[in-house]
Every structure is written in C-alpha cells, then in structure tokens.
C-alpha cells in the first residue's frame, strides 16, 4: 500500500527544489516569458549543481533523466514513506519516478517553462530511461534528449505517424517531419518516433535516438507560443537522416502482438511527470490567490459550511479539493512505476485530471484576483497562459479519457475509437 507521507530521504531534495522555484525561477520568470527563444543562462549553474548532486546520489533521481539512475534496491528506510511490504512480502520502493514527480511539482511552482529548460532533464531522457538497454543508457550518459512524436498529420494519434525508418545495412534512414519538439534546438539528442512499415500501423512504430548534429536532421523553425515561452519548441525536417542501428530503442523486430507497447511505455513514465507539472502550477495559483484574497479579508474556513462563506472562499475550497485529487493520482502513477506495476491507465488518469484541474484553477484564480489577476504585476496571467499546454502535450485530455475508458472496459483501440 502506498504511504502518502513524503519519504524522509526525499525531503532535502524537495526543500532545495522549493528554494529553486522561489529564489531563482520566479524572479526571472517574467524576463524569459518576454524574451521568448532566449536561452536562460542562469540554468547552466543549476545544471552543474544537479550533475554534482546526481554523481553523489543526493538527488535520488530528480528530474526526467533520473529514472535510469536509481537501482531496484533503492528503497525507503523502514517505516518511512512506502517502505512497507506488499502482500507478497516484497519491500515497496520510493524511487526515481516518485522523487521526480515530487521535485517537479516544486520547481513548477516557480516556472514550467524554466523547468522544461533545465539541461539534460528533458522528456526524451525519460523515454530513454523507460526503454533503452543498459548499454544505450551508458552511451547516452548525461546528454540532453528531446522527444519528437507529433507530426502535421499525426497529433494525439501516435499510431498515425508517417515518418519512416528504412533499414539500410547497419543504419536506418529516416524521412519525415516533426513539430512541437520541446527543447528541440537546445538538446544534444532527439528521440524520434518513426514507422518501419506504414501498412502495419502502430505495431511497426519504433523510437530512434538522433544526434541534433546529424546532417539529415534540419531545424526548420522555433514556434511562438501562448505560454511556457522560456522553453523552446522546435520543428524538424528529416531528409535521408542516417541513424546507426544501435540507436534504435527497444526491440528492432516488428511484433504483430504488443509491438507498440515498448514504445508506448515511454508515456507511462512521462505522463506522471506532466501531471506533476500541472500540480505544481496549480499549487502556485492557489497559494498566490489565497494570499491576495486574505489581504482583502477573504479567508476560507474548511470547517464551516460552504453556503455560509463568501463565493471566493467557497471556490478556493473546491479548487483545493480538485488539486488534492490530482496530486494523489500523480503520486499513485509514479509509485506504481517505481514498484514495477503496470500503470498505463493510472498515468493517463493522473495526466487527465491534473491537466484539466490546472487549466480550470488557473483561469478561476485570474477571475478571483480581479485586476491583479489580469495584470503583469502578478504572475497569475502568465500562469493561466502556461497552464493550457499541460492539458495538451503528452496526449490531450480527450486521448487520456479514451485510454482510461479502453482499460476500464477491456476494449482495444480498434474497438473503441
């Protein structure tokens, strides 16, 4: 059984992450929102610090790349967190996935775009951690990896990918177009999803690690966005892009049964991370709005009937309940991943709930704060813009609900579209 108390071994990490959000990210948040596409140089020092902490084992796998760094023996001390035994007598683990979720919640209280811009903490790193071999993990080392899935004609339906990968000796030749690649222009590597045979549908889709210096990978443009402007979002064109066969992640064979599962396992790791981002931003909105309303004499009372309180206080209490549900779902999905339990449905549940909650709360907080919510004197208007992407990328709200429905009803993708 999962214990909801934050494990003692993670507390120093979370204290540092909270300090990072308050003392580093928030002061420069507006700066890099206005200076879109400008790299936040302040993150270089942070990256060096994280590298040192990672080498010493102090981070316990914080961030997206940490998932590959915590061994199965890394369990919480007895009586702390979920260091209890499961029904089979095996110790439950609080590992890299849970620590990543908890730390990302803290940094995203400061700024989601800056969190996405921390070098070598990209979603591509989480993809590598999910499906790469030990040899590949060693070879890719501490390099920064972006992830390229979306195409002009394949958005939420990952199975409709048209980028091709044709085997040619000891290489694959990739051709296609990728859009909305987070950190694409800054990363060292891009995890590209491509199909070995379009006629076989999603079963033939594989992921490949491509060097951004590869002459066949062309950066076409950087997008101008509504929110998370501190994070660059790139579009790529792959033209006869040659990739060594050893850079294919997972099984190179096309499996008619379950062949897509290895690729999709990436989402089981990354969707809880996006849910954590949404939870962090939701927490920031609620905290600031509560503070602003308190200055006006509006203080929620959780022990009093909602009907006896001002509307603003009632809304805050309702939104706190929504946040709590999203928070618990994110913890559950991450904890299941740490303990080797299938978590595809729970990852989608967490992402769906947290994404929707974040958007609803951010917009409501802008409304409750009045002029302060819509002005640049506070960060609420920026957070409202940032929130929308968290309900879209890594699979839209509608796709998450569809996945959950399929799991609950025991139906395949062909049976329930």
């Amino acid at each position: 059984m999962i214990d909801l108390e934050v494990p003692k071994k993670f507390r120093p990490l979370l204290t540092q992450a909270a300090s990072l959000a308050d003392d580093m990210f928030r002061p420069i948040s507006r700066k890099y929102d206005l200076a879109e596409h400008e790299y936040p140089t302040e993150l270089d020092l942070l990256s060096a610090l994280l590298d040192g902490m990672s080498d010493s084992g102090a981070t316990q796998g914080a961030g997206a790349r940490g998932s590959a760094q915590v061994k199965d023996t890394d369990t919480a001390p007895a009586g702390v967190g979920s260091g209890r035994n499961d029904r089979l007598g095996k110790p439950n683990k609080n590992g890299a996935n849970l620590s990543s979720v908890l730390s990302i919640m803290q940094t995203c209280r400061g700024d989601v775009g800056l969190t996405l811009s921390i070098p070598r903490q990209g979603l591509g790193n989480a993809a590598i951690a999910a499906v790469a071999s030990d040899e590949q993990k060693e070879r890719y080392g501490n390099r920064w990896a972006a992830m390229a899935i979306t195409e002009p004609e394949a958005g939420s339906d990952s199975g409709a990918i048209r980028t091709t990968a044709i085997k040619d000796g000891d290489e694959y030749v990739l051709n296609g177009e990728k859009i909305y690649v987070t950190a694409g222009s800054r990363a060292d590597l891009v995890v590209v999803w491509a199909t070995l045979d379009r006629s076989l549908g999603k079963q033939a889709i594989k992921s490949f690690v491509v060097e951004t210096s590869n002459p066949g990978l062309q950066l076409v443009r950087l997008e101008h966005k509504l929110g998370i402007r501190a994070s660059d979002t790139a579009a790529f064109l792959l033209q006869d892009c040659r990739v060594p066969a050893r850079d294919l992640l997972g099984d190179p064979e096309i499996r008619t049964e379950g062949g897509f599962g290895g690729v999709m396992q990436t989402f089981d790791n990354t969707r809880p991370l996006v849910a954590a981002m949404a939870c962090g931003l939701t927490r920031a909105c609620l905290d600031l709005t509560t503070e602003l309303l308190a200055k006006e004499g509006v203080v929620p009372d959780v022990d009093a009937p909602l009907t006896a309180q001002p509307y603003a206080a009632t809304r805050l209490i309702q939104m706190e309940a929504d946040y709590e549900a999203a928070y618990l779902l994110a913890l559950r999905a991450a904890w299941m991943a740490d303990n080797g339990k299938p978590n595809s449905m729970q990852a989608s549940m967490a992402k769906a709930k947290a994404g929707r909650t974040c958007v609803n709360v951010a917009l409501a907080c802008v409304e409750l704060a009045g002029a302060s919510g819509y002005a640049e004197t506070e960060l609420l208007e920026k957070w409202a813009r940032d929130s929308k992407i968290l309900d879209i990328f890594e699979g839209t709200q509608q796709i998450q609900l569809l996945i959950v429905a399929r799991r609950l009803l025991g139906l395949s993708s062909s049976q329930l579209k």
Side-chain angles (χ1 to χ4, degrees), residues 132-139:
S133 66
D134 290 340
E135 183 275 331
Q136 288 173 325
K137 291 174 184 176
E138 180 70 23
R139 184 153 44 84

Side-chain angles (χ1 to χ4, degrees), residues 53-334:
M53 293 172 64
S54 179
D55 291 341
S56 68
T59 62
Q60 292 295 337
R65 68 175 164 154
S67 300
Q69 297 173 336
V70 178
K71 298 179 176 61
D72 288 343
T73 55
D74 184 16
T75 60
V80 177
S82 44
R84 302 170 176 175
N85 288 350
D86 65 16
R87 295 177 182 176
L88 298 178
K90 298 178 181 179
N92 290 325
K93 298 189 293 292
N94 288 321
N97 289 283
L98 187 60
S99 68
S100 294
V101 159
L102 290 169
S103 60
I104 283 174
M105 285 181 187
Q106 290 298 325
T107 59
C108 285
R109 285 194 313 103
D111 192 280
V112 175
L114 290 171
T115 296
L116 287 167
S117 299
I118 300 174
R120 298 181 294 285
Q121 302 288 321
L123 294 174
N125 293 97
I128 291 172
V131 296
S133 66
D134 290 340
E135 183 275 331
Q136 288 173 325
K137 291 174 184 176
E138 180 70 23
R139 184 153 44 84
Y140 302 137
N142 290 328
R143 305 183 69 189
W144 191 354
M147 190 155 64
I149 302 174
T150 306
E151 300 179 359
E153 297 181 11
S156 295
D157 183 6
S158 301
I161 283 172
R162 299 180 62 81
T163 295
T164 58
I166 307 300
K167 188 73 179 295
D168 183 15
D170 293 332
E171 296 179 318
Y172 285 92
V173 182
L174 276 59
N175 283 282
E177 183 178 359
K178 294 293 181 181
I179 58 175
Y180 302 140
V181 182
T182 300
S185 69
R186 298 171 182 171
D188 307 308
L189 310 167
V190 180
V191 177
V192 176
W193 287 30
T195 177
L196 302 183
D197 188 337
R198 285 183 184 173
S199 66
L200 296 180
K202 65 182 183 181
Q203 306 303 335
I205 293 176
K206 304 292 180 180
S207 53
F208 301 81
V209 179
V210 182
E211 299 271 354
T212 53
S213 60
N214 190 312
L217 182 68
Q218 177 187 350
L219 176 63
V220 177
R221 65 181 180 277
L222 296 178
E223 306 290 355
H224 294 282
K225 307 188 299 296
L226 172 71
I228 60 166
R229 293 176 179 170
S231 170
D232 73 309
T233 303
F236 287 104
L237 185 64
L238 295 105
Q239 290 185 314
D240 295 330
C241 181
R242 290 188 167 271
V243 179
R246 65 176 186 163
D247 287 334
L248 181 149
L249 296 177
D251 189 352
E253 299 298 323
I254 298 176
R255 308 289 182 184
T256 56
E257 294 294 333
F260 195 45
V263 178
M264 291 300 291
Q265 186 184 347
T266 294
F267 287 135
D268 297 345
N269 276 25
T270 58
R271 281 173 177 158
L273 297 181
V274 177
M277 294 176 193
C279 286
L281 183 52
T282 302
R283 185 71 265 157
C285 292
L286 288 172
D287 288 347
L288 180 54
T289 303
T290 300
E291 178 184 323
L292 292 173
L293 290 178
K295 292 178 181 179
E296 303 300 323
V298 178
V299 180
D301 183 354
V302 296
D303 295 320
L306 294 181
T307 55
Q309 302 188 57
Y311 169 77
T314 299
R315 286 291 289 126
L316 280 177
I317 293 173
Q318 292 171 336
M319 290 189 293
E320 285 283 357
D322 266 346
Y323 163 79
E324 191 73 13
Y327 171 79
L328 295 177
L329 285 169
L331 292 192
R332 182 189 185 196

